[in-house]
Amino acid sequence: MAPLAGGATGARAASAAFQVAFYAEGMRSASAADRPRASRETRTLPTFAPGAVETPFVISCYDELFTQDTTWAAHSHPCHELLWNERGASTAVVDARVWTVTPTLGLWMPAGTLHSGSAPAGTWLRASFVGLSGTVSISDVPVAVEITPLLRLLLERLGEEGLSARSRQVTEAMVLDVLTPSAHELLLNLPVSDLLRPIADAVREDPRDQRTLTHWAAELGVSPRTITRAFNAETGTSFARWVAAVRAQHAVGLLTRGFEVDAVAELVGYQSASAFGVAFRRTTGLTPGTFRAH
């Protein structure tokens, strides 16, 4: 093995190399079919229409640190919900749309919206439930919300013990005042047709998959134009941009777990960190560093 460079740069290079080797091996040996059943917990939650259950609060906060991979079956809440994470990345699914939720980019889920979700072990989830009485939803559909330092501090304050009624009232009002949809979101529209499902499954299983539109057309026995039209119709974007979106979502999950940018770039199919950075910014409007855990 070649000697590593010294100092902080060398330490990061060593860390990135280890992460690539360890995680790549995990992808080969720990497929979903191979994992022990006990490693994942599936939770079943009720389905509520908006306002179906009285919610005698303005904002109620909840958090949980998951010790195993966890999945939520489709459910809905009688109140609005703001999802975000203290640590790690999770997903929320509505129909064929998949959002990634992180410590810096949350998701507003309007009351009554049927959704499912998942979080890997180690994720520290936070959820703020917003009652319907006296509040107006920031959106009628799920929408990303930037978890700014101010919003984070306000939400954390609501979880403090001994907070006076007056302080809670003021803090809740401030939260509702700063809650706004974000210009950025980590959203993936899933194709649902039999034609595109093999492509979607393969790329989501391994974002390093380098098969091009031409390769897929040959494998599926159709023309590249047919696949292009199908992707535009089902996802609203091109094949190349859809692959970039899959890679970006996968990259966020690694970044929030503390992986080095160089390692993430390789693990999601890019030849260099600079190429990864350009593609990531083009897809999300944000830099990889936005999601990097420290």
Side-chain angles (χ1 to χ4, degrees), residues 96 188-201 204 230-231 234-235 242 246:
L188 182 69
N189 291 306
L190 296 178
V192 296
S193 68
D194 291 339
L195 172 64
L196 298 185
R197 191 171 295 116
I199 303 176
D201 290 346
R204 294 187 73 204
F231 259 102
E234 295 183 38
T235 71
W242 187 85
V246 173

Side-chain angles (χ1 to χ4, degrees), residues 155-238:
L155 293 172
E156 289 177 346
R157 187 166 192 249
L158 289 176
E160 294 178 359
E161 294 185 8
L163 191 65
S164 69
R166 175 58 180 163
S167 294
R168 169 168 289 278
Q169 184 180 28
V170 170
T171 305
E172 288 172 336
M174 293 178 69
V175 168
L176 296 175
D177 185 56
V178 301
L179 265 179
T180 55
S182 172
H184 308 292
E185 62 181 351
L186 297 170
L187 171 63
L188 182 69
N189 291 306
L190 296 178
V192 296
S193 68
D194 291 339
L195 172 64
L196 298 185
R197 191 171 295 116
I199 303 176
D201 290 346
V203 176
R204 294 187 73 204
E205 178 69 22
D206 184 1
R208 298 170 299 174
D209 195 309
Q210 297 295 322
R211 280 174 285 187
T212 65
L213 186 64
T214 301
H215 288 143
W216 277 112
E219 286 192 28
L220 298 175
V222 297
S223 69
R225 182 175 296 181
T226 297
I227 295 179
T228 297
R229 284 198 300 263
F231 259 102
N232 286 327
E234 295 183 38
T235 71
T237 191
S238 68

